[in-house]
Amino acid sequence: MGAGFRASMNWLHTWAGVVVGAVLFAIFWMGTLSVFDREIDRWMMPETRLAPVAEPASLDRIREVAQALAGDAPSLFISLPTERQPVLGIGFRKDGEFVSRNVDPATATLLPERGTLGGTGFIFPFHFSLNIKLWSIGYWLVGLAAMAMLALLVSGVIVHVKIFADFFTLRTDKKAPRVALDLHNVTGVLGLPFHFMITLSGLIIFVLVYFPNAWQGTFPDRAGYFKEAFGSYSRPKANQPGDPMSLDALSAEAVRLWGGGTPLYLRLWHTGDANAVVEFRRSYEDRVTMNTDTLYLDAATGAVLSRQTQQPIMTAQRFLSGLHFIQFRHWTLRWIYFALGLSGCVLIATGFLFWLESRRKRHEKQGLKGLGVVEGLTIGATTGIILATLSFFIANKLLPPGMAERQSYEAWAFYLLWAAGFAHGWIRRGQAWAEQSWAIAAAALCAPVLNALITGDHLARSLSKGQWAVAGMDLALLALAAIAALTARKLQRRPATTSRAMPGRAQGSTRGSTREGRQHA
Amino acid sequence: MADIASSPPRWQPAALLVLRLLAVIVGGYYLTAALVSLGAAGMAGIGLPGSEAVVLAAMLGFLVYLGLLIWGFAERRMRLLCLVFLGGPLLAQGLLYLQAGG
């Protein structure tokens, strides 16, 4: 395990990074935003910016509202409001499609159709599936990228011998490759426990997606395994009209059975039938472990039909999932996750930058073309996706409410801008960095202005009304605008480093960078 | 550190590199998946509840796969590599088949 092993790890780190870096950045960027997905929802769905209510409308009233909309749907879904999501949700299947609507918990009235996928419907699923549904390709790509991330972390630690010294090293006065490498090392080493934990736990969430046949040697069939592991309950319809108990009384019974635990959502099976069942899923707001505690109550009598809890190892799996999902109430930790997620983005971007800057001179001398391809890829993958995200937010404000297929146009605004970000990166090369940074600054400034103009919730108002989600999103956008503008200015003052620049001007002395360049060649 | 540059990995031929990538990434996955199924059966065999054994084995599977990936890109003996990543999944699947039958 001498130099040969380290050389192999160096090769693995370099090329795995270049090949999957773009996908990894997208996953980390979307994951970082997903930390605040419900807050993004509030910003994107102004009709849901409701003040929290102390006494929400009765569940029986909500059932009537849902029933009126759902007709004879086989099951109804009701999610209860939380601190981060002040609306009730109802859902059901109609003509093969899942319909979901928001309900004002104070008045039990339907809110207008969302017309947007929002943070929870677009950004969050993008994080784990790239929103590619065909043959679950998205899941597998994300899984492969996550395994590559773990391999990158391990090989990165092996490559960097001076790991302790790297901890304290950030030389901003040095040339670009050195700064990129220092920043890569600082975020990589400082964030190592987080990056390893978040990547591994992300894989563990989908343990049965990635190892779909793990039951093969233990159970005769998949259904047998699922029954033991998750044990859902169902019973056939009686085909006779039933006399259901009050949902509020059933909910109180669930709380009593859980010793004070509150429900997160409920599902009504066979509504109106004598064999109707109400399923209660326990909230995990107060703990890391995302329990799967489920109660099935007889809708007519309130008798417990089935009660599920998890066994120890499954609880460990739910704990690791909870570490990743952060559905618990803890604002400090939520911000720390956000900051560490951003540090992951910096880690990936600086890895790319170091690859580019340490090769630029040599590749120019040898007339190699690969650098331009990777530079365009890096630009589209980093500044491009940030710009695309902002275009998604701006489209959300500019598209008229009530427009048909409104959410698809929002998604298109994202994908078109993202594609344009890559194209621009490949065409403009080095100049694209500053140009896209200016575009980010302008777009990030534009979004809160549009929010103020269209919804009326400008910063002074959202702050004074305690609309922290809306104010936080506006402030984050303004901070992004400031950072992007500063970056763009700094980039434009720097001597040009592209192949189009005069050969003599490119990068000046590279005495400090040749050593690292050789290491990573 | 300086000798790293002077001893590049000898995987220059593209065909060998493609073979390695396929063997390690695809073969490594199939080997891991088979080991997960076998491991779950083994743990269930010594008394762990079946569904618990499956989850534990599958969670450990990610670390096993990670180990195989690292080794697969460091190992220079191509024959050993092919033996493990092509023969391994076949052997493990065979064992699984026997175990399920018996």
Side-chain angles (χ1 to χ4, degrees), chain A residues 246-413:
Chain A
S246 149
L247 266 189
D248 296 287
L250 286 173
S251 176
E253 174 66 2
V255 172
R256 190 189 66 80
L257 286 165
W258 281 327
T262 52
L264 177 70
Y265 64 76
L266 43 152
R267 217 179 248 134
L268 318 179
W269 300 95
H270 311 321
T271 32
D273 189 85
N275 265 358
V277 176
V278 184
E279 171 190 344
F280 286 92
R281 173 78 178 267
R282 185 175 178 165
S283 163
Y284 33 72
E285 234 187 10
D286 57 343
R287 63 198 66 197
V288 175
T289 307
M290 292 170 78
N291 65 69
T292 52
D293 295 0
T294 314
L295 271 174
Y296 292 85
L297 302 182
D298 189 312
T301 63
V304 178
L305 299 171
S306 171
R307 183 175 188 170
Q308 318 280 347
T309 51
Q310 317 112 88
Q311 298 184 64
I313 295 171
M314 197 58 180
T315 306
Q317 194 271 350
R318 299 313 302 164
F319 174 78
L320 290 167
S321 304
L323 273 182
H324 194 102
F325 273 108
I326 36 167
Q327 295 301 299
F328 45 86
R329 281 171 76 155
H330 201 303
W331 288 103
T332 318
L333 269 176
R334 189 166 292 282
W335 279 102
I336 291 173
Y337 267 79
F338 184 72
L340 285 166
L342 285 179
S343 91
C345 294
V346 172
L347 174 69
I348 298 161
T350 49
F352 265 125
L353 286 180
F354 179 68
W355 190 94
L356 290 167
E357 297 306 326
S358 60
R359 275 165 185 73
R360 202 180 287 281
K361 278 204 86 159
R362 187 162 56 81
H363 280 216
E364 269 169 32
K365 223 181 273 169
Q366 297 174 351
L368 295 172
K369 298 264 182 251
L371 199 90
V373 177
V374 177
E375 183 157 43
L377 180 76
T378 310
I379 293 167
T382 55
T383 48
I385 201 172
I386 298 175
L387 205 50
T389 309
L390 291 169
S391 133
F392 175 67
F393 293 149
I394 290 174
N396 169 263
K397 290 287 159 266
L398 289 183
L399 292 172
M403 159 186 196
E405 293 296 315
R406 193 175 180 279
Q407 56 269 51
S408 323
Y409 288 100
E410 275 181 17
W412 274 108

Side-chain angles (χ1 to χ4, degrees), chain A residues 229-252:
Chain A
F230 305 103
S232 62
Y233 171 86
S234 69
R235 64 178 182 185
K237 252 178 145 167
N239 287 319
Q240 281 166 11
D243 182 23
M245 266 176 77
S246 149
L247 266 189
D248 296 287
L250 286 173
S251 176

Side-chain angles (χ1 to χ4, degrees), chain A residues 3 5 8-9 11-12 140 147 151 161 203-204 207 210-211 213-214 216-219 225 228 311-314 519, chain B residues 1 3-4 7 11 17 29 36-37 40-41 44 49-52 54-55 58-59 62 65-66 70 73-74 96 99:
Chain A
F5 179 60
S8 303
M9 288 301 105
W11 181 91
L12 178 63
W140 286 96
M147 282 310 305
V161 260
L203 285 163
I204 282 174
V207 74
Y210 295 134
F211 293 114
N213 297 326
Q216 256 176 358
T218 318
F219 290 88
Y225 165 65
E228 188 183 308
Q311 298 184 64
I313 295 171
M314 197 58 180
Q519 276 176 32
Chain B
M1 289 297 282
D3 56 323
I4 284 177
S7 60
W11 315 330
L17 178 60
Y29 171 74
V36 163
S37 300
S51 63
E52 294 277 275
V54 170
V55 173
M59 287 199 288
F62 296 114
Y65 189 31
L66 175 62
I70 297 293
F73 284 104
L96 200 63
Q99 187 264 349

